[in-house]
Structure formats: C-alpha cells, structure tokens
C-alpha cells in the first residue's frame, strides 16, 4: 500500500470513512478520465481498492448514501414533470437547472472539505442531476418524435427543478425576430402610445382603448406573428424611432420583435412577412424577417447612433432665393449643438448634445417652400435643425438664413451602416 498514488489514497479514505454510493464516490473524481459515468468511476475505484486489499468491494445502496440519499432514482420522475411543465410549448433547445435542498448541498461541501477534494477534480451533485434529467427529457421527447438539445446560452426553455418543493418552474424564453420596417403613412406611432387623458387605463376620450392612436407599427407587425406563435405578449425594439408624423422609407428601419411565451416557434417567415404586409394595407411593410436570439436586441438598440438620411419639406416665413438657401445649407455642415427639444423635454433628459451634419442640400420648390435632404448622425433632431427651437439648436437653418423656417413633412430615407444580423440572414431561416 506504500506505493498507492494519491488518487487511491483519497478514494480509500472516502470508501472507509464515508457512506457514499458508487455515484457519489465517483463524482469526487469526475474530472479525471473521460468516457465514464460517475457510477462507473466509483465502482472501478472500489474494485481496485478491494483487489489491493484482498477483500470484497464495498457496496452502499444509494438510499443510504450520506450525500444523495437516493435522489437519482427520481430522475425519470423529474424528467416527466419537467416535460409536463412545458406541455403545449414548442421548443428546440432547453436547459435544466436544479435547486438542491440545503442539507444535500452542505453534506457535499462538508465532504469535499473533510477530504481536501478540489472543485476542479469533482463535480457538484447539482450538475450531474441536471445532466441526468436532461438526458431523460431528451429521451421522452424523442419518443414523441421531437428533438431538442441543451443550449447553455440561449435556450428556448429553462426548467428549474425545485427538489425541496417537488415542482418544476419553467421559463419560456421569448422568440426574437429581426427585420426592417417601412412606414408609408404619417400619424402612426412606432409603439403603443398610452392615452393622454387616462394614461392607458381606458376612458371615454380614447373609447376605452387606453390608446392615443388606434394602432402602431408594432401592433401591425405583431398581430399576425402573435397569432402564428400564439404568444402571451410582444415588444418592438427599434433602431431608434421616427416621429409619429414622419414616414420611414428606403430600406426601412431595423427592428427586433420579441414575442413572449410563444407556443409555436417554427414559423414560416416568408409567409408571415406576406401576411403582415397584406393586412397592413399599405401603412407599413416589413422585409428580411429572420430568427435571432436575445443579443440582437442590444445590437439593434446600439444602431440608434447610426447615420440617417432624411428628406424634409420646409416652409419659410418669407420668400427665400435658391442661392441664399444653398449658402445657408453649406454652413450647416459640421457640428451642431442641440439642447433637448422643447417638444420632447417632458420625456427626455434636458441636455446639450453635439451632433454632426455630414451632408445637406436643398431645392426651392416654391417662393417660401423647399425640400431638403440631410445625412446626419443618429440622434440629431431634424425639425429643430431647421427651426432652431428658439435658440436651443445652433446653428440652425432659420438662424443662418435669418428667416424663420419649419418642417412641414419629414421622411427618413435610410438608416445607414452594416447590420451583422443581416449578414447571416440567409443561413438563419430555421429556429435553432
Ligand atoms: Zn450517493
Ligand atoms: Zn383614455
């Protein structure tokens, strides 16, 4: 026994001093050797110890194990419960988690401490239980002709096994769809706008809808998707937003539609796109719908700073000549200091931002009317770039011309910049 390597010394101490089943003994050495179950590891160590000592290998029935107390016998039952907890929900990826009773966790911790077992060589019981239940869940699904795999990062569903309470707490993660929308009419908000009078509770003013506007870009896109996915709710994350009275033309504005608790995830996006566009009756149009994961929300929100191209119809208080306009516009290129406009100051922090105008040109279309096209940094308010907002935006077209001017119509023509989500759009037509 003198030559016994530390592994066997440690196994011998565990075998003789603790009441551990093969699985729990093996789990103390889980990271040593591959292609073995913990039960096989424990059993193998016991066989070697018995051979070295010329005796029979020790056997501890799992029910008598000081750590697991036979917990793994219930793995099948837990897999069944887990499956039942997400009945009626389609999913292709999952993650199993376990909330272990305190006494099991402490027994394991104490055991590791008594025997100097390093966490890098052992595996926590929790992890093995997750895996064992996950394997069985996969088996149950296969029997139903369904396939699912573990996803640590972005699982469709998370199944939390609460051992103490004997219940599975499922989390149905949202479904995320990326696309671009074009808004072809004015007077349509991007998202639901609560009624000014009742703040969304419903009152005679809003016909008890709680809404200031009967519909929004979000609702027009989400309605058909909600029906197909049978979700419980939705949210639209846009790469910025245009004013209610501005159209969004060109390639459209990138967005991610989030569908909460979807029952169906296999959607025919081409067909859905057609249906959204048909039912929106020319108010909006979407294209490039593709399945994405949660990360896309941040990517799209981060696009708010991207350059945008706008077209504005401008009205002047007195006649302006083309050369005058050209001269003023050329001087608008460069930095603009813009204090939060009065019209949004009730919902935006009051601060002064510096934004760039990259390109601007215009054409007089009447004595007191022009159409201008601007390429500017995201976040620059175009209406105020024209009007000056009583000196809150400087320079402004009004200031440079010495003629009060205001925007009567605004269109966003493009949101510039690469969208990583569009690069892999073609290979991403199926939910993962
Ligand atoms: Zn055990
Ligand atoms: Zn109301």
């Amino acid at each position: 026994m003198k030559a016994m390597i530390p592994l066997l010394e440690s196994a011998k101490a565990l075998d003789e001093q603790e009441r551990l089943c093969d699985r729990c003994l093996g789990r103390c050495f889980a990271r040593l050797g591959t292609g073995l179950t913990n039960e096989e590891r424990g059993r193998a160590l016991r066989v070697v110890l018995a051979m070295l000592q010329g005796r029979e290998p020790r056997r501890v029935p799992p029910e008598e194990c000081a750590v697991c107390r036979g917990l793994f016998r219930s793995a099948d039952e837990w897999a069944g419960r887990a499956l039942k907890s997400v009945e009626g929900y389609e999913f292709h990826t999952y993650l199993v988690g376990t909330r272990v009773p305190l006494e099991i966790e402490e027994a394991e911790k104490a055991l590791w401490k008594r025997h100097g077992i390093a966490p890098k060589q052992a595996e926590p019981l929790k992890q093995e239980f997750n895996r064992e239940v996950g394997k069985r869940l996969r088996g149950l699904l296969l029997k139903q002709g369904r396939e699912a795999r573990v996803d640590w990062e972005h699982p469709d569903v998370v199944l939390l096994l609460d051992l103490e309470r004997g219940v599975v707490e499922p989390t149905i993660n949202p479904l995320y769809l990326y696309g671009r929308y074009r808004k072809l009419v004015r007077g349509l908000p991007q998202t639901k706008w609560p009624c000014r009078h009742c703040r969304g509770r419903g009152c005679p003013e809003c016909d008890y809808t709680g809404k200031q506007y009967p519909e929004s870009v979000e609702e027009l896109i989400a309605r058909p998707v909600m029906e197909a996915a049978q979700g419980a709710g939705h949210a639209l994350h846009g790469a910025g937003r245009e004013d209610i009275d501005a159209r969004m033309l060109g390639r459209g504005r990138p967005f991610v539609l989030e569908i909460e608790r979807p029952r169906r995830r296999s959607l025919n996006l081409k067909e859905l796109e057609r249906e959204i566009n048909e039912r929106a009756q020319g108010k909006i149009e979407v294209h490039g719908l593709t399945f994405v994961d949660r990360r896309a929300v941040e990517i799209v929100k981060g696009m708010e700073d991207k350059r945008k191209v706008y077209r504005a119809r401008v009205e002047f208080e007195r006649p302006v000549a083309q050369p005058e306009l050209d001269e003023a516009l050329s001087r608008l290129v460069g930095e603009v200091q813009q204090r939060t406009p009065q019209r949004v100051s009730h919902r935006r922090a009051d601060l002064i931002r510096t934004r760039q105008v990259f390109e601007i040109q215009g054409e007089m279309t009447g004595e007191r009317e022009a159409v201008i096209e601007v390429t500017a940094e995201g976040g620059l308010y175009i209406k105020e770039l024209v009007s000056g907002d009583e000196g809150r935006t400087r320079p402004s077209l009004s200031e440079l011309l010495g003629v009060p001017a205001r925007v009567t119509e605004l269109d966003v023509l493009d949101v510039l910049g690469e969208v990583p989500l569009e690069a892999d759009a073609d290979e991403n037509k199926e939910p993962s």
Side-chain angles (χ1 to χ4, degrees):
M1 292 290 191
K2 245 185 286 166
M4 202 188 264
I5 59 170
L7 163 66
L8 284 178
E9 298 256 14
S10 178
K12 180 170 180 281
L14 284 161
D15 185 40
E16 286 172 5
Q17 296 161 25
E18 310 288 347
R19 259 192 102 59
L20 298 175
C21 68
D22 287 349
R23 181 194 294 272
C24 290
L25 175 65
R27 204 170 51 250
C28 292
F29 308 98
R31 316 263 186 239
L32 308 177
T34 56
L36 292 165
T37 65
N38 286 329
E39 211 171 348
E40 285 168 347
R41 267 188 197 89
R43 187 75 198 137
L45 286 167
R46 280 195 160 129
V47 167
V48 173
L49 289 171
M51 289 166 70
L52 288 169
Q53 293 173 316
R55 57 167 174 82
E56 253 183 56
R58 249 179 118 199
R59 277 181 198 280
V60 176
E63 289 71 22
E64 291 168 26
C65 172
V67 174
C68 72
R69 302 164 197 215
L71 172 68
F72 286 83
R73 294 257 158 100
S74 66
D76 281 324
E77 197 185 318
W78 278 101
R81 269 183 217 163
L83 184 59
K84 200 159 174 10
S85 77
V86 286
E87 207 169 59
Y89 289 92
E90 178 184 355
F91 61 95
H92 306 278
T93 56
Y94 64 89
L95 188 60
V96 176
T98 301
R99 198 177 283 148
V100 174
L102 202 61
E103 66 249 34
I104 289 189
E105 206 147 356
E106 306 235 292
E108 185 173 58
K109 229 191 278 169
L111 177 79
W112 288 12
K113 203 166 165 214
R114 276 199 299 279
H115 294 270
I117 291 162
K120 67 173 193 303
Q121 78 164 49
E123 181 186 30
L125 173 141
K126 189 191 286 201
Q127 204 170 311
E128 185 175 12
F129 198 64
N130 291 344
R131 188 171 61 242
E132 289 302 317
V133 173
K135 248 194 273 177
R136 288 165 173 78
L137 175 64
R138 201 178 136 83
L140 291 177
L141 287 166
L142 277 173
K143 267 192 219 158
Q144 300 182 352
R146 298 163 67 186
E147 251 188 272
R149 60 177 175 79
V150 172
D151 185 336
W152 297 90
E153 303 281 322
H154 305 282
D156 293 342
V157 298
V158 178
L159 301 151
L160 182 63
L161 319 176
D162 188 329
L163 299 191
E164 201 127 41
R165 292 172 47 227
V167 293
V168 177
E169 291 172 16
T171 302
I172 315 291
N173 281 330
L175 176 70
Y176 298 93
L177 295 181
Y178 171 82
R180 281 184 185 244
Y181 74 80
R182 285 157 45 86
K183 186 175 115 188
L184 308 169
V185 295
R186 303 184 193 284
L188 189 64
Q190 186 187 58
T191 52
K192 207 163 95 180
W193 199 272
C195 165
R196 266 183 216 115
H197 299 273
C198 62
R199 290 169 193 277
R201 274 178 286 115
C203 69
E205 289 286 337
C206 60
D207 213 3
Y208 299 98
T209 60
K211 296 191 284 190
Q212 189 69 31
Y213 297 87
E215 52 193 1
S216 59
V217 172
E218 175 179 355
E219 287 164 287
L220 290 171
I221 299 174
R223 226 173 271 148
V225 183
M226 285 287 282
E227 286 168 22
Q230 298 166 42
H234 54 82
L236 185 93
H237 311 280
R241 60 168 69 206
E242 62 285 334
D243 290 335
I244 290 177
D245 57 3
R247 291 185 299 180
M248 177 67 235
L249 307 174
R251 291 180 302 158
R253 187 182 295 275
F255 70 89
V256 172
L257 179 70
E258 176 176 346
I259 300 289
E260 292 154 26
R261 301 179 59 84
R263 287 179 172 274
R264 306 266 310 118
R265 288 176 190 265
S266 301
L267 310 177
N268 183 334
L269 297 187
K270 275 284 153 244
E271 207 163 278
L272 208 47
E273 207 170 286
R274 228 181 350 257
E275 199 187 331
I276 293 167
N277 295 343
E278 204 175 283
R279 283 167 65 176
Q281 297 177 311
K283 288 177 228 166
I284 62 142
E285 252 174 42
V286 300
H287 64 95
L289 281 188
T290 179
F291 293 105
V292 289
D293 61 49
R294 174 183 299 279
R295 282 168 299 187
V297 174
E298 287 316 307
I299 293 174
V300 160
K301 281 186 172 166
M303 288 186 63
E304 237 173 297
D305 309 336
K306 296 274 187 200
R307 292 181 187 200
K308 315 245 161 52
V309 185
Y310 301 89
R311 182 173 58 207
R313 189 172 293 279
V314 178
E315 200 178 81
F316 302 102
E317 224 174 79
R318 59 173 177 72
V320 171
Q322 184 69 45
E324 250 185 300
L325 178 70
D326 292 341
E327 162 70 13
L329 291 179
S330 72
R331 287 167 60 200
L332 263 185
V333 175
E335 268 183 14
V336 174
Q337 305 289 323
Q338 190 160 61
R339 190 168 156 200
T340 305
Q342 298 177 61
R343 68 186 164 93
V344 299
S345 61
H346 61 285
R347 55 190 167 90
R348 294 275 160 93
D350 185 18
L351 35 97
I352 296 170
R353 298 175 186 80
T354 302
R355 292 285 185 270
Q356 292 282 330
V357 170
F358 299 107
E359 244 180 88
I360 186 164
Q361 55 224 338
E363 206 171 320
M364 295 304 300
T365 52
E367 264 204 325
R368 302 195 301 128
E369 192 190 79
V371 171
I372 64 170
E373 240 183 76
V374 194
T375 304
E377 193 177 346
L380 180 74
Y381 294 97
I382 301 302
K383 288 174 181 169
E384 285 69 22
L385 178 71
V386 168
S387 73
D389 198 20
E390 296 175 5
R392 293 162 69 105
T393 294
R394 298 201 62 197
S396 70
L397 183 58
S398 292
E399 183 191 4
L400 293 172
L401 271 175
V403 179
R406 66 177 188 99
V407 170
T408 55
E409 268 181 24
L410 184 64
D411 293 326
V412 186
L413 298 185
D414 206 0
V415 177
L416 301 174
E418 294 279 310
V419 190
L421 302 164
E422 287 173 351
D424 46 56
D426 288 336
E427 313 138 33
N428 202 6
K429 289 294 180 207
E430 288 299 320
S432 54

